[in-house]
Amino acid sequence: DNVTVALGLYKVYTIGDAYLVTNEPRKEMNDPAAKAVLRMGVAMLQIIQEVRDIVKHPGLDMRIGLHSGEFVAGVIGTKLLRFDMWGPDILNGNMCESKGAKGAICVSETFRSKLDRPSLYKFTPYGKFKMAGDSSGRMLELHMIQPASFSSWGSFLQSEADAVQDFKGSPHMVDTPRGGPPVAEVEPA
């Protein structure tokens, strides 16, 4: 949750083993927003590795899926209120996660295209799957980012400090309260 706030992202909810995060809803995702979401995925992988080492549970891991698209969101319920998001692109984001690999980040081509310079990142083609809610048969092309070592991701986080520059002020690097991965702190508006 601390990383989410620091990157200017919004935690929608945790349900079961899923942690749903979105950037500030915009008409279109841009490069700084995509970088912030990608950095969140990297930080989550670092955090799970740290927890895995502490609890000495070698099988503890996670898959991360990143997608960009349109959705409808709102509060549902009368007695127990809950905010949620719906739409084919939400299902496609879920597919990125579920089709992904443990310890890696799976991104759709749609998400990858939001990065100004995708060639800076080491994407590996991962496969094509039928898009959710699309009767035309279009395919969702997926790519994987799987770090060789988390030390290389540390430098990735440091070098991508501009990922939140366009959100809410000038970021500077800080450690999370647990001493976890460095993240960009964002000053409140």
Side-chain angles (χ1 to χ4, degrees):
D1 288 356
N2 293 335
V3 176
T4 304
V5 171
L7 289 172
L9 302 174
Y10 300 92
K11 175 184 173 182
V12 178
Y13 57 72
T14 304
I15 183 168
D17 63 353
Y19 189 94
L20 182 62
V21 173
T22 185
N23 67 304
E24 182 177 334
R26 299 167 183 244
K27 290 187 176 189
E28 187 169 331
M29 181 181 263
N30 57 20
D31 180 68
K35 284 181 184 176
V37 173
L38 181 56
R39 291 179 71 224
M40 177 69 189
V42 171
M44 290 178 77
L45 290 177
Q46 288 180 317
I47 291 166
I48 200 69
Q49 179 184 12
E50 184 180 304
V51 170
R52 180 176 53 236
D53 294 345
I54 290 169
V55 300
K56 298 182 182 357
H57 188 299
L60 184 62
D61 219 329
M62 66 174 53
R63 294 183 308 261
I64 296 178
L66 305 178
H67 179 66
S68 176
E70 297 178 356
F71 61 88
V72 175
V75 177
I76 59 171
T78 55
K79 292 184 182 185
L80 179 62
L81 300 176
R82 180 173 160 205
F83 181 81
D84 206 350
M85 298 166 42
W86 306 273
D89 282 312
I90 297 296
L91 298 174
N92 287 326
N94 183 44
M95 186 186 317
C96 290
E97 179 273 330
S98 65
K99 300 286 186 189
K102 291 179 183 178
I105 300 172
C106 182
V107 304
S108 68
E109 177 60 30
T110 306
F111 179 87
R112 185 177 169 270
S113 72
K114 301 302 177 184
L115 297 165
D116 284 346
R117 298 184 307 176
S119 61
L120 291 177
Y121 311 96
K122 295 180 183 175
F123 291 104
T124 303
Y126 191 64
K128 294 182 181 182
F129 301 90
K130 186 177 180 315
M131 292 182 82
D134 186 332
S135 60
S136 70
R138 288 187 311 157
M139 302 298 279
L140 184 66
E141 185 177 342
L142 302 181
H143 305 274
M144 294 296 286
I145 302 175
Q146 191 162 8
S149 71
F150 282 99
S151 60
S152 64
W153 283 102
S155 61
F156 169 80
L157 284 170
Q158 291 288 344
S159 68
E160 292 299 320
D162 66 334
V164 294
Q165 188 73 28
D166 290 349
F167 283 108
K168 299 175 185 165
S170 297
H172 59 279
M173 301 308 285
V174 298
D175 284 332
T176 59
R178 298 181 338 287
V183 296
E185 182 177 66
V186 180
E187 299 296 326

